[in-house]
Amino acid sequence: MGIDPLSVVAPARVKIVCVPVGRIKQSRFSSFVARLEEENVVRLGDVSPDNRPHSTLFSPLAYPAGRVLFEIRTSFPPKTHLALSPFELYRQPFVIVAVADYRGFEEISDSHGLPAEEVAKIDSHGTLSEDSVQTLLQHRHQLASEYSLALVHHVLVFDYDVSHQRLPEGLIGVPPPAQSMGTTMKTVMCDLTSQLLAEMASFARSLQEIRSIETPRVPRQSIQRPLSRYSGLSRPASADPNQATPSSMSDAQRNEHRMSELVDGATIAKVNSDHVWHGKALDYLLVVCLLYAWAGLGFHIPQIFYQVTDKIVPGSSKASKDTPASSHADLMVTSPDSSTGQTLQSLSSLLPDLVTTIQNLYSRAWTFSEDKLPQLAFSDTGLRFSKLLTIIAASNSMLTDTNLTQIVLNMQARQATVHSKTVLTFQAKADIAAFLFRSFPNADTDLSLAVADRTAILAGTVSILSELNYHRKRAFVMKELLEGLIPALVEARKRGAAEMGVHPAASLATLDIALYGAQRTPSHLPYGEDEIGLQSFLKRVSCEYGVDVGMGNRSNAADEVSPAETQGTDKTATSASLNSTKGSVQRAIYQASSKISGSLELKIDVLRLCINVCEALPDLEGVLQFSTELLRTSGSGIAPGPDNSSGSPSLSIEDQLRLWNNISRTVGVARQLGLKELSADYWDEFLLRGIEVVPSTSDIPIPHAKGDLEAVTKSNTDTSSGPFLYNPFRQDKPAKNAKPLVVAGEEAVFRVTLQNLYNFDLEIESIQLRPDNDNCDSVAQAVTVGPYRTQTVYLAVTPLEGGPLNVSGCIAKVRGCHERWFPLFDAPWSLKPNVKEPQSQWSAALLEKSSETRRLPEKGDARALKGPIPSSAALDVIPALPIIVLKSMSLSRSAIMLLEGETKTFTITLYNASRSVIADLILLTSEDSTTALLQAAREKKELPPTDLYELELASTKKPLRWCRAADEPDVVIEPGKELTLNIEVTGKPGLSGATIQVSYGHLGVSRSQIKDLFYTRQLSIPLAITVNASIDITRTDLLSFSSIFAWQNQQRQMHSPSTKKADSPPVQTRRPSSVSSRPKSHKFTANNENRFQSLLSRIGLSTNDNSHCLLCLDCRNSWPTPLSISIQVRSSHSEHITDSTQRSPSSDTSQKPGKSKTTIAYTVHESLLPGTTKRILLLLPRLRLPHAHNPIPILSAQKQFVVGTGPKTSYEAELNAREMYWYRETLLNLLQATWTEESTGRKGQINIRNIRLSERMINILKLPELETTMTLALPNVNANIDDLNDFDKKNKIEQMSPTTYLVPLSHPLVLTTTLTNHSNYLIHPLLRLQPRLAGNFQHSIALDLGRKLLIHGQLQKVLPVLAPGASVNSEVEVWVLGKGRWVVGGVVEEVRVLESEDISREDGDDVGDRKKRERRVWGIEEEVEVVGKGD
């Protein structure tokens, strides 16, 4: 350790000033001085005495155990210190050593070479030439004349081989360390000590000749001229105000009466009330006692110590206390004995009162203006005593070998020896601090102190307060030190600039260039070499106020640096911390926590002082560091949310602008000086507040599963519309939590949100995103963020390979700041310490004593603070995809006009703009203007199932379709090639526009080999469509139709010669005259009279079904030109009807020939003029659907289960709705309508789904579940009617109509009732026949029925069980006894409810389970009318 300038034994040290001479580097000069400081304590027994007779006064032989303490320094004491001599003789240097480097004469430097004549003086054999020796001697004489007060002047030539040449007197050669022995430097110091002791004899005599010494007084005005930091070849080093100046120790060994002379002087001064000299004598007595104790020499405490402290001498009576202090026996220095420990304890107990007495004596002298002690001497004395008390207080209040070694040599002894276990009472820290502040300069004494002296005093005060752990008081003194240092630095810069002939605003580097000229390049400027100590001091001052400059850059930086980097400089660790997310989090915690503890105003004030000091030097690096730290400290330290306005800094707008301009100007000056690496650290960790991917408007990749490809491929190849309402290749909005997709090799644009919480424009020279994956190219750009706002900027990143991509921050370079990493903090954050824990506990981790070891609390620490959570923008990079563009379209201006139901075809040409990617997947889907309307209608919750089915069916009918054969191979577009596609568009009501969506991608494998997801892009081609009305069905009605036409045709066929049979029943039929035979035709003529002639002539001939109904359609022509319509009616058999109800009715009715089970029965043609409406009559067979109560199908096939959302209905209403749906769908399957424009050849389909059926119409259309027919015949008659004779012919039955019979009287007849089960249930029937008179007769007359009509058999009979589709006959005999008209009707009742074994319901159908089926009753629709004929 170095010499302590505040040591209490500083007056016992001999001051040596080392001055560089010749050409020598600063680093080598410092190393030479360090070799001398290693031997700063010289034992007198090792010193050779001087043989001159007049130099034996301080002969080392008299005191061989004595020692000489040297204080080696490189600056001459200032004049204010020398003015205190001889009152304080130790302030004067006694030895001047000129340090020369032998290499300076041996080597030639390119930048600072010696002249040619000086180089010639170097001897090639490693010796100095005569001229070189003379030059060194001249330097010695020059130093002797310049420092005449010094006693010894010597020149030390280092790294010189003394074996080659003997140097003359005054020159001492010092070999290099490799050639030196352990006693080499000790020999050099002994030679200097020998000459010093010899010269001390004459110096002592000169002091004895002085009759009086004037007491130093405070001068009227003390002006200290600042010394220049530069020194020439012959000038001494500049004075260093921070180093104290000690004196000689040889007075302590002059003779054995040393202490007695000091005691006599103290006594005389006390008697004469000379307080200054009284205090100085006591001071020196204390120094002598401490040196004796350190050297191990026995001593007794002077009696005068007890007198001034009013304490009793241990082991003596009160009478002995009055013994004269000058008694030679009491003051003799004795050898060590067993009482040495007791003596040290006594001295320790006396010290607090003794040093207080000395300070009181100096203070009393201030009452006399003539004897007023200078503030420098008074403060130095107080500092030395305070340091002594501090050391003893830290050692259990005792003087031990340990603290004595620390007091004298400023180093700890290897082993501490405690002479007694008695614990002594000593002053508390508060008392020591109070004593210390007595020597603190006040406002009145500041004018008499030089700046350097005031700085040294305040620095000493800071050092002692630091050892006392009074950090707040220390911070206050350090702030006072800076405030007093700034004016002196400014004045020194002005004077130095005036001497160099440059402007005062020029920096030190500019002055250096002016001094050395072009011989030194900017890269070799010694910038920062002298200021590095001051920068550390300024950082220490800031740290005392809770601001650790560069703390964020150092905090836990080793955790982010690789082992190879940790072996480098601190700059590597700082750079690693700046470019790490963990370092940013820790800096944010530190910035926020520093605002919680301590006063923000004091922090801002001390940082301003540090900036002013650095500007006064000027220190460019310090200006940048403290300016950025001031911006960081004044900032809010939070990440505000969008609605939070508490993020503004604590500085005014003017101060913020001044700091920003100061940083920019400082960096500009550094660039001009060639210091290109000098830059600041950005002050806000929350620069980056948001990163999100900007979705592309057209080329968004869409992920798909293999099932999506199979479904859409089938839909594209099928000529009919697919049943899928969901389009997997439709470009929907991505899911909220889905990662954005980016294609490899293509640019991805990010929306980056930047934050500036300060009131000045933030100029960012370059900013670029830095993904975690290195296989990315990012583009940097410049941006300016306005004052106090968040601003959005768009940055691009190009990923080169596929895979996950994570963007967690950016690399940005703010103007004046170095480039660094900024992580993403998108969530609001503010520091929230534990309110249950005292602030002093959790903030202790941030306010430690030493800033060099300060670290933020680790995660495992209970006091760890929760920092901001870094975020990231994650996205997936998929393999490269092709780029398809629309090259051409056959439509003009992408527009087309259609009529409702009309179909047209156009072409589009696609071009693959990719350079290397093949488009091997091409799929076409479409969206039209009706899609959104239908979707909105389907989303209504109160829709009945029938309406929902119609909306879903309309959604499946896409107006656009890719005309492509099913067996056509997959299309492929090579890079740079094109492909033409045929598109078919159909006019649809409400269609105003459509979009062709071309989904394309690159699979690389066959479609069957796809396992994982694949991605496609979509090209949207908009199309304007105009659809005009053509043929509308405005009204629909169903009417009942009599079966007489079918019966007449059947009878006509029976009586034809070609159709007569031998087994025909003997029932004569009357040939109707209203219907004549006409030729068969499949088409109607335009004449209304013959509209049904052809159709009626064929009813009942092809099938046994005689029940028909009449469909009336009102068709209107809405187009301004005539249109011809054609309506096809398809014949349907029962088995065909059953099949049609089982399959999905949503399939198109226009089936291909040869594949349908239905055939065309007839076609109706009609021509409609513009704006006219005509009624079209269609004859349809009545239907019977066995599964009419099946559930209404749902076309959304991807739904596994659908919860009913329609209105709640009753059981009967649900059955009626289902029955109405299925009969309507069957009716629509029997019809197909088209229109044609004869003039242009245009044609299209008529929308027949506008046909709506009511419950009345359904009852007309459907057949009953149980059909009942009645016939009347003669019993046991097998002969043909033509073969009977006239008598028999008169007794035969004549059938007038299907239900009217003309029968003979009193002849047996057989009435046969046939029951046919058309349902899918078992029916157990009960037949009840009810004969009555025809017409409305009175009840009395109806009771006479038995006299006219005789019935043999049961009118009420239980018949066998009828299976579905089975029939049963019931016969009774009837005799007509008289003329009249009788009607035989009745009802059929169900005996019991039976279920068929082969009946199964559809899955999910619960209608049949809701209510149990009840017994039913059916009436006989066509009753038999019997007419009795007379003779």
Side-chain angles (χ1 to χ4, degrees), residues 146 272 410 507 652 771 890 892 1044 1152 1282 1386:
E146 186 173 355
N272 296 329
N410 194 27
S507 64
S652 62
S890 62
S892 177
I1044 191 172
K1152 294 183 179 181
D1282 296 336

Side-chain angles (χ1 to χ4, degrees), residues 1132-1417:
S1132 178
H1133 301 282
S1134 60
E1135 62 273 13
H1136 299 159
I1137 296 174
T1138 303
D1139 293 339
S1140 66
T1141 59
Q1142 297 300 326
R1143 65 176 182 266
S1144 176
S1146 62
S1147 60
D1148 194 3
T1149 58
S1150 59
Q1151 301 180 15
K1152 294 183 179 181
K1155 293 186 179 181
S1156 176
K1157 294 184 179 182
T1158 60
T1159 58
I1160 299 176
Y1162 62 92
T1163 304
V1164 177
H1165 297 275
E1166 193 66 50
S1167 179
L1168 297 179
L1169 295 177
T1172 60
T1173 302
K1174 284 189 178 182
R1175 175 164 293 182
I1176 309 298
L1177 300 179
L1178 302 175
L1179 194 61
L1180 301 177
R1182 296 181 68 186
L1183 306 175
R1184 178 58 196 170
L1185 304 181
H1187 298 282
H1189 294 164
N1190 285 354
I1192 299 176
I1194 299 175
L1195 300 184
S1196 302
Q1198 71 276 8
K1199 299 180 181 179
Q1200 296 182 357
F1201 180 77
V1202 178
V1203 180
T1205 59
K1208 299 298 181 181
T1209 59
S1210 63
Y1211 172 74
E1212 292 78 6
E1214 180 70 19
L1215 291 181
N1216 292 336
R1218 293 186 177 187
E1219 187 178 55
M1220 189 177 298
Y1221 164 78
W1222 285 110
Y1223 276 100
R1224 177 177 175 270
E1225 290 298 320
T1226 306
L1227 174 62
L1228 295 179
N1229 286 336
L1230 298 178
L1231 300 178
Q1232 183 176 7
T1234 60
W1235 60 264
T1236 304
E1237 187 178 14
E1238 302 293 343
S1239 60
T1240 60
R1242 299 170 67 179
K1243 57 183 179 180
Q1245 298 285 336
I1246 299 176
N1247 185 14
I1248 62 175
R1249 298 203 67 86
N1250 293 334
I1251 297 176
R1252 291 290 184 265
L1253 301 180
S1254 63
E1255 186 176 357
R1256 179 189 64 83
M1257 298 179 186
I1258 295 299
N1259 293 330
I1260 295 174
L1261 180 62
K1262 71 177 181 178
L1263 291 171
E1265 293 181 339
L1266 184 64
E1267 182 182 4
T1268 305
T1269 60
M1270 302 178 69
T1271 61
L1272 192 62
L1274 295 173
N1276 300 325
V1277 177
N1278 297 325
N1280 196 330
I1281 294 179
D1282 296 336
D1283 298 335
L1284 297 177
N1285 54 27
D1286 295 337
F1287 176 80
D1288 294 334
K1289 290 181 179 179
K1290 293 180 180 180
N1291 294 328
K1292 295 302 179 183
I1293 299 175
E1294 183 179 356
Q1295 187 175 2
M1296 306 298 295
S1297 69
T1299 59
T1300 303
Y1301 294 88
L1302 184 62
V1303 300
L1305 299 178
S1306 301
H1307 194 283
L1309 303 174
V1310 178
L1311 179 63
T1312 304
T1313 304
T1314 303
L1315 279 67
T1316 303
N1317 184 8
H1318 292 296
S1319 68
N1320 55 348
Y1321 301 101
L1322 296 175
I1323 298 177
H1324 193 186
L1326 171 63
L1327 177 63
R1328 291 181 180 179
L1329 298 179
Q1330 298 175 353
R1332 70 179 185 277
L1333 291 175
N1336 296 324
F1337 295 98
Q1338 296 180 0
H1339 181 67
S1340 60
I1341 300 176
L1343 294 177
D1344 197 27
L1345 181 63
R1347 298 179 181 182
K1348 302 291 184 179
L1349 185 64
L1350 179 63
I1351 299 177
H1352 178 262
Q1354 296 179 355
L1355 294 180
Q1356 179 175 332
K1357 182 187 299 184
V1358 177
L1359 301 179
V1361 176
L1362 289 177
S1367 299
V1368 64
N1369 295 327
S1370 176
E1371 297 179 352
V1372 295
E1373 292 184 1
V1374 178
W1375 282 268
V1376 179
L1377 302 179
K1379 294 181 180 181
R1381 304 176 70 90
W1382 291 270
V1383 175
V1384 181
V1387 296
V1388 179
E1389 296 183 8
E1390 192 173 14
V1391 177
R1392 55 194 176 97
V1393 178
L1394 298 175
E1395 296 288 345
S1396 299
E1397 298 179 356
D1398 57 343
I1399 297 208
S1400 60
R1401 296 185 180 90
E1402 298 288 339
D1403 294 339
D1405 181 20
D1406 61 344
V1407 177
D1409 299 332
R1410 280 193 259 166
K1411 185 176 181 181
K1412 185 177 180 181
R1413 189 165 57 87
E1414 299 178 353
R1415 295 173 60 247
R1416 293 164 291 177
V1417 178

Side-chain angles (χ1 to χ4, degrees), residues 429-662:
K429 293 196 303 181
D431 298 333
I432 299 176
F435 178 80
L436 173 64
F437 277 103
R438 292 183 60 183
S439 59
F440 191 81
N442 51 33
D444 298 334
T445 59
D446 282 347
L447 299 177
S448 62
L449 277 177
V451 176
D453 297 337
R454 183 179 184 276
T455 302
I457 293 172
L458 296 183
T461 305
V462 168
S463 176
I464 297 174
L465 290 175
S466 178
E467 296 183 8
L468 293 175
N469 292 328
Y470 282 130
H471 301 293
R472 293 185 179 180
K473 291 182 175 62
R474 179 182 62 179
F476 166 76
V477 177
M478 295 173 79
K479 184 172 179 292
E480 291 290 329
L481 190 153
L482 290 181
E483 291 178 349
L485 192 61
I486 293 174
L489 292 176
V490 174
E491 183 66 23
R493 187 176 67 174
K494 292 180 180 180
R495 292 178 179 272
E499 293 178 358
M500 303 303 302
V502 296
H503 194 273
S507 64
L508 295 181
T510 306
L511 298 178
D512 202 3
I513 293 176
L515 176 64
Y516 293 100
Q519 296 178 354
R520 180 175 296 185
T521 59
S523 60
H524 295 84
L525 291 177
Y527 176 78
E529 294 179 356
D530 295 338
E531 291 81 2
I532 186 171
L534 187 57
Q535 281 189 15
S536 301
F537 171 71
L538 295 178
K539 293 180 180 179
R540 185 65 178 180
V541 174
S542 303
C543 180
E544 295 301 327
Y545 284 86
V547 181
D548 192 353
V549 180
M551 165 61 188
N553 300 340
R554 298 192 311 268
S555 58
N556 300 349
D559 298 337
E560 300 291 336
V561 186
S562 61
E565 292 175 342
T566 53
Q567 299 176 1
T569 60
D570 294 339
K571 184 177 180 180
T572 302
T574 301
S575 176
S577 177
L578 289 176
N579 294 306
S580 64
T581 302
K582 184 177 181 180
S584 297
V585 173
Q586 293 174 345
R587 286 191 298 271
I589 296 176
Y590 164 73
Q591 180 180 356
S593 60
S594 63
K595 298 179 67 65
I596 298 177
S597 60
S599 173
L600 181 60
E601 290 76 9
L602 288 176
K603 295 176 183 178
I604 293 176
D605 290 342
V606 73
L607 287 175
R608 284 174 175 169
L609 288 176
C610 294
I611 294 174
N612 294 336
V613 171
C614 294
E615 289 179 345
L617 287 176
D619 179 9
L620 303 183
E621 183 179 359
V623 170
L624 293 178
Q625 286 186 353
F626 291 103
S627 297
T628 55
E629 192 63 37
L630 180 54
L631 288 173
R632 183 180 293 110
T633 302
S634 62
S636 60
I638 66 174
D643 300 331
N644 191 355
S645 59
S646 59
S648 58
S650 302
L651 291 176
S652 62
I653 298 178
E654 293 77 9
D655 292 340
Q656 297 178 44
L657 291 174
R658 188 180 301 109
L659 287 174
W660 168 247
N661 295 331
N662 194 20

Side-chain angles (χ1 to χ4, degrees), residues 268-530:
I268 296 173
K270 180 179 180 181
V271 173
N272 296 329
S273 298
D274 193 344
H275 306 298
V276 174
W277 287 100
H278 183 197
K280 182 56 65 178
L282 294 178
D283 185 2
Y284 285 164
L285 278 173
L286 177 60
V287 171
V288 171
C289 291
L290 293 176
L291 289 176
Y292 281 168
W294 169 72
L297 303 176
F299 71 96
H300 291 281
I301 300 175
Q303 184 67 27
I304 195 172
F305 282 2
Y306 295 99
Q307 295 176 2
V308 298
T309 58
D310 296 333
K311 292 182 179 290
I312 301 176
V313 180
S316 63
S317 62
K318 185 176 181 180
S320 63
K321 183 178 178 179
D322 297 334
T323 305
S326 58
S327 174
H328 184 73
D330 295 337
L331 297 179
M332 285 294 295
V333 179
T334 61
S335 59
D337 54 14
S338 60
S339 64
T340 303
Q342 185 67 29
T343 302
L344 291 178
Q345 295 180 11
S346 301
L347 183 60
S348 300
S349 63
L350 291 174
L351 280 178
D353 295 335
L354 178 61
V355 296
T356 303
T357 301
I358 296 174
Q359 283 290 81
N360 291 336
L361 291 175
Y362 288 154
S363 298
R364 292 175 187 175
W366 282 48
T367 57
F368 305 98
S369 59
E370 295 182 356
D371 293 338
K372 188 174 183 179
L373 188 66
Q375 182 66 32
L376 175 62
F378 180 78
S379 298
D380 278 355
T381 303
L383 293 175
R384 293 192 296 108
F385 290 161
S386 299
K387 185 64 178 291
L388 174 63
L389 296 177
T390 301
I391 295 175
I392 298 177
S395 303
N396 296 326
S397 305
M398 292 185 298
L399 279 172
T400 62
D401 295 342
T402 302
N403 51 34
L404 284 174
T405 303
Q406 182 179 359
I407 291 172
V408 178
L409 301 181
N410 194 27
M411 58 184 300
Q412 298 291 340
R414 294 183 179 180
Q415 184 177 1
T417 303
V418 180
H419 299 280
S420 175
K421 296 183 180 181
T422 304
V423 179
L424 302 178
T425 303
F426 205 72
Q427 279 188 316
K429 293 196 303 181
D431 298 333
I432 299 176
F435 178 80
L436 173 64
F437 277 103
R438 292 183 60 183
S439 59
F440 191 81
N442 51 33
D444 298 334
T445 59
D446 282 347
L447 299 177
S448 62
L449 277 177
V451 176
D453 297 337
R454 183 179 184 276
T455 302
I457 293 172
L458 296 183
T461 305
V462 168
S463 176
I464 297 174
L465 290 175
S466 178
E467 296 183 8
L468 293 175
N469 292 328
Y470 282 130
H471 301 293
R472 293 185 179 180
K473 291 182 175 62
R474 179 182 62 179
F476 166 76
V477 177
M478 295 173 79
K479 184 172 179 292
E480 291 290 329
L481 190 153
L482 290 181
E483 291 178 349
L485 192 61
I486 293 174
L489 292 176
V490 174
E491 183 66 23
R493 187 176 67 174
K494 292 180 180 180
R495 292 178 179 272
E499 293 178 358
M500 303 303 302
V502 296
H503 194 273
S507 64
L508 295 181
T510 306
L511 298 178
D512 202 3
I513 293 176
L515 176 64
Y516 293 100
Q519 296 178 354
R520 180 175 296 185
T521 59
S523 60
H524 295 84
L525 291 177
Y527 176 78
E529 294 179 356
D530 295 338

Side-chain angles (χ1 to χ4, degrees), residues 934-949 951-952 1204-1207:
L934 295 174
Q935 179 65 26
R938 291 202 310 268
E939 292 176 354
K940 295 181 179 180
K941 297 182 178 180
E942 299 300 328
L943 282 178
T946 54
D947 294 346
L948 180 61
Y949 172 81
L951 293 174
E952 291 181 349
T1205 59

